[in-house]
Amino acid sequence: MLPDSVNPGISLLENDNHGLNLVRWMHQCELMKHYYQADKVFVLQITDCGYEVIVSAADNDMQFAPGNTFAAETKLLQRMSYSSPEGLNLDLTLGTADEYPDEFRSVLCILSRPVHWPDGSVFGCLCVLNAHANEHQHVSPLMLEPFQILLQQDLTLMCQNHRIEALSMRDARTGMLNNYGFIMMAPRQLNLGRRFGAHCGVIFFELTPTTDVDEESLNRCHQEFANLLLTTLRAADIAAHYDPHKFVLLVFVDLERDLEHIVKRVQRLFSQSPLPMLLDFSYRFFTPDSTSKLVAMLDEARGGLRSTQETDA
């Protein structure tokens, strides 16, 4: 399976954090164009919008420039993408022009190889088009294999990086610590605060959508709320995106009522934002002589949230 953070239906060109070297892909397109003396060489991805050109060799007429999209029902592209791993060598002179998209009607032959995601699902294909006859017209697509392997290795590496990021201490969407990062960082800060006689508090905030919102809108809400929290904290405090709907703070205060002041400040700032979300909170105060471990403190603070109470009920 692909990592949850990788959506194969989203174009790589729409993802600023894909981590792929698309310049290297373009250079490989140029190399294949030179080797096959071809007119067009490009890589297609199957997206929710259809077949999208991700990279291509220099193309003066821009018919296959990155970002150009062809309909998902295009049978020619379906045939190329879902072919055997050895690829196809298609002679388009044997068919009728009506069978192909307008951009392909001047093409005499196509060499193609399918490209797959690490889980075996189809990513798309790489294509070499020739609009004129030459000695390479009927050459095997075997020389496309190294490029095919390169593309699939890069996609595998991208997915591995997403998995590593999920196990890292930072939440990719908000930039805050994630659950793992909080559990790793907070105990040291807590012990340091206790050593200097500081009181502390654990505050949970939970966001609940007031209407049906799509994933993109939900992520944007979480990002904005994370920014709100980070602007209210001091250097010694720690904040984390604890789970998909909860945020947690470890703060150092002088008095218990300081926790209430922090919550009210966050509520005030939240009320000024147009986020279509309800905000719930719960907090607990701990003195320097408390022997509670961090996990127990988190459980105690989280117990005041309505969702937790409903689950326990």
Side-chain angles (χ1 to χ4, degrees):
M1 292 181 61
L2 298 177
D4 292 339
S5 54
V6 174
N7 184 344
I10 301 298
S11 167
L12 294 179
L13 299 180
E14 296 181 19
N15 183 1
D16 294 332
N17 300 313
H18 55 63
L20 296 170
N21 188 346
L22 296 185
V23 173
R24 180 168 64 162
W25 288 17
M26 182 192 69
H27 288 164
Q28 288 293 318
C29 287
E30 295 285 355
L31 180 62
M32 291 298 100
K33 182 178 180 181
H34 176 74
Y35 174 79
Y36 285 111
Q37 298 181 21
D39 297 291
K40 319 282 183 184
V41 179
F42 52 91
V43 175
L44 290 173
Q45 179 187 353
I46 303 173
T47 71
D48 294 336
C49 298
Y51 289 85
E52 182 168 344
V53 179
I54 301 302
V55 294
S56 64
D59 183 8
N60 292 332
D61 58 21
M62 302 299 288
Q63 288 182 318
F64 298 96
N68 286 7
T69 303
F70 301 91
E73 311 82 55
T74 306
K75 292 184 178 180
L76 176 64
L77 302 183
Q78 290 176 352
R79 183 180 175 189
M80 291 190 291
S81 298
Y82 291 91
S83 69
S84 66
E86 292 75 22
L88 299 174
N89 184 350
L90 300 176
D91 184 352
L92 270 62
T93 62
L94 300 178
T96 61
D98 293 340
E99 297 179 37
Y100 312 122
D102 292 341
E103 292 85 352
F104 291 83
R105 289 183 180 174
S106 62
V107 176
L108 296 181
C109 66
I110 298 179
L111 297 178
S112 71
R113 280 237 171 185
V115 179
H116 294 89
W117 289 99
D119 66 350
S121 59
V122 178
F123 169 85
C125 60
L126 59 100
C127 311
V128 177
L129 309 185
N130 254 339
H132 59 279
N134 58 49
E135 66 272 20
H136 295 286
Q137 181 171 336
H138 300 292
V139 75
S140 165
L142 182 63
M143 279 303 298
L144 290 177
E145 183 177 14
F147 191 11
Q148 176 191 35
I149 293 173
L150 170 72
L151 296 172
Q152 293 178 164
Q153 287 177 337
D154 279 359
L155 292 173
T156 298
L157 182 60
M158 181 190 79
C159 290
Q160 289 175 342
N161 287 339
H162 276 265
R163 291 190 178 95
I164 292 171
E165 190 174 75
L167 296 174
S168 71
M169 298 201 304
R170 290 282 169 187
D171 174 51
R173 292 182 175 87
T174 62
M176 305 176 78
L177 291 173
N178 59 19
N179 187 320
Y180 175 71
F182 186 82
I183 296 299
M184 292 295 293
M185 298 291 290
R188 179 181 180 277
Q189 202 75 355
L190 179 61
N191 292 336
L192 187 62
R194 284 172 170 171
R195 189 182 309 163
F196 287 97
H199 300 76
C200 73
V202 175
I203 308 173
F204 269 93
F205 292 101
E206 184 170 25
L207 294 177
T208 305
T210 55
T211 59
D212 290 335
V213 295
D214 56 36
E215 184 176 356
E216 182 179 351
S217 299
L218 189 62
N219 289 338
R220 187 165 57 251
C221 290
H222 287 169
Q223 290 170 355
E224 292 183 23
F225 188 69
N227 292 336
L228 184 156
L229 291 180
L230 293 174
T231 59
T232 65
L233 297 181
R234 295 166 299 181
D237 302 331
I238 296 180
H241 194 188
Y242 192 76
D243 69 19
H245 302 289
K246 298 182 185 69
F247 295 79
V248 64
L249 311 181
L250 174 66
V251 296
F252 296 92
V253 294
D254 297 321
L255 300 169
E256 184 171 2
R257 67 170 177 265
D258 292 337
L259 294 177
E260 185 177 348
H261 294 330
I262 293 173
V263 169
K264 287 184 176 180
R265 183 163 68 248
V266 171
Q267 285 182 306
R268 185 179 68 254
L269 293 172
F270 180 81
S271 67
Q272 296 171 359
S273 68
L275 301 180
M277 312 286 278
L278 292 176
L279 178 65
D280 188 21
F281 67 89
S282 177
Y283 62 84
R284 292 294 183 272
F285 176 75
F286 299 91
T287 60
D289 58 357
S290 171
T291 58
S292 297
K293 299 296 184 182
L294 178 66
V295 173
M297 295 167 65
L298 292 173
D299 288 340
E300 187 175 340
R302 190 171 59 242
L305 294 171
R306 285 192 293 269
S307 62
T308 304
Q309 295 172 353
E310 292 170 358
T311 300
D312 293 341

